[in-house]
Amino acid sequence: MIQFRSLAVGVAGLAAGVLTLTACTGQQAGSSGDNTNIVHGTGEVIRVAEADRQELPDIEGETLEGDQLRLADYRGEVLVLNVWGSWCAPCRAEMPHLVAVANDTADQGVQFVGLNLQDRSKDQANAFEERFEVPYPSLYDPDGQVLLDFPKGTLNPQGVPSTLIVDREGRVAVRALTPLSEQDLRDVLDPIIAEG
């Protein structure tokens, strides 16, 4: 069972997060599924009280389909931002849960966006999305540059997979540094949807 705690103190800076993402090995992450290049999250899920939430940075970039996407365009809706890679076995296990919840909540003002990390080929990432019938776009970030848009001291993704839930005012309400089951995702998402 995932344990939750309120955000009471500041979080580690972006530099630590980027180092965490890239410090596993000096080798290029492959698609073998042997998990040797996966940076595991802490298993921690943080729910942030409304009064303590910080704005999501104005992140933008190119999607796997070659379109431009700005996360600020989702303001007014609940946003689920999931960091994944086709090479990541926990991402493969988690993706059916994300797809199910994305499909179920599309009419409730919830939008999902992926952040594809460290896939050197769009072909591999697109094949992953086709395999799991992912119904939402993903930013393509092979070198982790999009993550640099998270200022030091903000609640940012620090592993693969990780998930942020952003409230309708564009503030980070939940950070999960662990793969989520469908029920886990609903448990943290439903209260944010209910905020209206």
Side-chain angles (χ1 to χ4, degrees), residues 71-88:
L71 295 185
D73 292 340
Y74 293 95
R75 176 107 16 133
E77 300 179 280
V78 175
L79 173 66
V80 178
L81 178 65
N82 176 256
V83 181
W84 64 277
S86 68
W87 46 268
C88 163

Side-chain angles (χ1 to χ4, degrees), residues 24-65:
C24 260
T25 71
Q27 299 175 353
Q28 172 63 36
S31 60
S32 65
D34 63 1
N35 293 352
T36 57
N37 292 305
I38 293 174
V39 178
H40 294 285
T42 63
E44 181 179 54
V45 177
I46 296 174
R47 293 185 191 197
V48 185
E50 286 189 63
D52 297 327
R53 294 178 188 167
Q54 297 178 349
E55 281 196 25
L56 182 73
D58 188 13
I59 294 170
E60 59 183 283
E62 184 176 304
T63 67
L64 288 170
E65 294 78 25

Side-chain angles (χ1 to χ4, degrees), residues 13 23 30 34 39 44 51 58 72 77 97-98 128 153 159 164 176 180 189-190:
D34 63 1
V39 178
E44 181 179 54
D58 188 13
E77 300 179 280
H97 308 303
L98 292 164
F128 178 96
L164 299 181
L180 297 171
L189 179 58
D190 287 349

Side-chain angles (χ1 to χ4, degrees), residues 11-23 39 147-148 150-154 156-159 175:
V11 296
L14 175 63
V18 171
L19 287 174
T20 300
L21 286 170
T22 58
V39 178
L147 291 181
L148 296 177
F150 282 87
K152 183 177 180 178
T154 62
N156 56 72
Q158 295 181 350
R175 179 180 69 177

Side-chain angles (χ1 to χ4, degrees), residues 19 29 35 48-49 67-68 71 90 99 113 118 125 133 137 152 154 160:
L19 287 174
N35 293 352
V48 185
D67 299 321
Q68 289 298 308
L71 295 185
V99 168
V113 172
Q118 296 181 343
E133 300 180 3
K152 183 177 180 178
T154 62
V160 181

